[in-house]
Amino acid sequence: MSSIDGEVQPLAEYDDAAIRFLAVLWGEGYLSPGGAGEVDRVLEGLELGGKRVLDLGCGAGGATLHIAKTHGPAQVTGFDVEVPVIERARLAAARSGLANVSFIQSAPGRLPFPDGSFDVVFSKDALVHVPDKVAIFREISRVLVPGGIFAASDWLISHDGEPSADMQAYLAAEGLSFGMAPAETYIAAMTAAGFVDARSVSRNAWYRDVARIELSRLEGALHADAVAAVGEAYVAKNIRTWTAMQKVLDSGEHCPTHLRGIKPMPRGA
C-alpha cells in the first residue's frame, strides 16, 4: 500500500517501471497504443472547442495533454485512481505550460465531480480495469451535461463466458486487473445508464497488425532503449506478454474497440 495526503491507496499496477517501459514503446505519457493518432480517431467528428472534457483513466497524461494542445477545449481534466501516473502527468503538464489542463487523483468509486461537470467524457483503454460496467457508465452519465458525449476506446473480449486457454495465458502474462467484457455488455451498460445512439466499432484488425510491429521492435530496434529504461528481465517479461497477446489478437478474441454514446436532452428541452 502507499499513501497520499494521509490516505491509504492501493498499490499501483502502473508503477514507475511500467510508465518508463510504455513510454519507450508507445510514447511519453501513453499507457495504451496508437499515440495521438488513435486519440484523434476516437474523437473523430467531435468539436471540442470551448468544451469541458474529462479524460477518464488518464494514466500518465499523454492523451490529456494532446487534447489540450490540439483540440481547443476550454478545460481538460485528467482523472486516474493511481498515484504514480498522476504524479507523472502533473510534471508533464507543468513542463508544457498549458493553462487549460489539470489532473485529479482519487480512489475508485464515485467520481469526484459534481453532476453535469463535463461536455465530453473521453477514455482511452482504461474502463477494462473497471469490473462493474453498469456502475461506471452511470457515473459517466452523471458527470455529463444533457447532450454530452462519451467517446472512448477500450480493450474488449469478443464473447461472453469463459476465456479460451490462450486468453487466460495472455491475462496471466499481463498480470493486470482486466475486467474484459464483450461489446454487447458495454452497449447494454451504456443503454441502462440512459445513453442513446450507443455504438461500438472493432479495432482488432488495426491493433493485430500494430502489436506485431511492436513485438518486432521490442525484439529489435527498441530493445536497447527498453533495457536501458527498465532492465533486461522486465523487457523479456513483456516480450512474452506481447507474444501471448498476439495469439488472441490473431484469433479475434482480444478486441480493442471504439465506443460512442450521447446523454440525451430532457424531454421538451
Side-chain angles (χ1 to χ4, degrees):
M1 307 292 282
S2 61
S3 66
I4 185 170
D5 296 332
E7 295 184 8
V8 175
Q9 303 288 328
L11 286 174
E13 294 190 347
Y14 293 91
D15 58 13
D16 286 340
I19 296 168
R20 292 195 306 273
F21 171 75
L22 294 175
V24 172
L25 184 62
W26 287 333
E28 189 64 39
Y30 287 93
L31 303 185
S32 64
E38 186 65 0
V39 172
D40 291 342
R41 285 185 283 271
V42 171
L43 295 169
E44 188 173 1
L46 298 182
E47 175 52 61
L48 302 188
K51 300 292 180 64
R52 299 164 299 163
V53 180
L54 172 65
D55 181 358
L56 180 58
C58 64
T64 322
L65 294 172
H66 172 70
I67 293 168
K69 289 175 188 175
T70 63
H71 286 267
Q75 179 71 24
V76 186
T77 303
F79 169 79
D80 208 284
V81 301
E82 296 203 348
V83 174
V85 295
I86 288 292
E87 290 178 343
R88 184 66 65 95
R90 287 171 175 161
L91 288 173
R95 290 194 299 268
S96 76
L98 292 166
N100 63 339
V101 64
S102 62
F103 290 96
I104 292 176
Q105 185 274 337
S106 181
R110 183 179 172 88
L111 296 174
F113 307 107
D115 296 0
S117 293
F118 302 100
D119 303 294
V120 176
V121 172
F122 166 87
S123 186
K124 181 70 169 66
D125 305 332
L127 300 186
V128 65
H129 295 289
V130 181
D132 191 337
K133 309 304 183 192
V134 171
I136 191 59
F137 279 112
R138 284 177 177 159
E139 276 297 280
I140 292 168
S141 177
R142 181 183 66 78
V143 301
L144 275 170
V145 298
I149 304 293
F150 168 72
S153 67
D154 205 29
W155 283 22
L156 279 61
I157 192 170
S158 64
H159 61 86
D160 211 349
E162 190 72 11
S164 70
D166 281 344
M167 179 61 87
Q168 291 181 47
Y170 161 62
L171 294 173
E174 281 281 16
L176 299 171
S177 59
F178 280 180
M180 298 183 88
E184 293 80 5
T185 296
Y186 278 76
I187 297 300
M190 292 169 70
T191 302
F195 285 93
V196 297
D197 195 23
R199 58 192 189 272
S200 65
V201 177
S202 172
R203 295 288 285 159
N204 168 269
W206 166 76
Y207 192 50
R208 181 186 63 216
D209 294 340
V210 168
R212 186 171 284 109
I213 295 169
E214 290 170 351
L215 177 58
S216 176
R217 295 180 74 210
L218 277 177
E219 293 175 323
L222 287 181
H223 189 82
D225 287 345
V227 169
V230 293
E232 183 69 55
Y234 197 99
V235 174
K237 181 265 183 192
N238 277 279
I239 287 173
R240 292 192 296 272
T241 300
W242 254 252
T243 301
M245 179 170 61
Q246 193 67 57
K247 291 182 180 179
V248 290
L249 286 167
D250 287 346
S251 73
E253 190 172 14
H254 181 4
C255 194
T257 296
H258 286 185
L259 302 157
R260 185 76 65 92
I262 302 170
K263 179 176 178 176
M265 300 291 292
R267 290 184 180 179

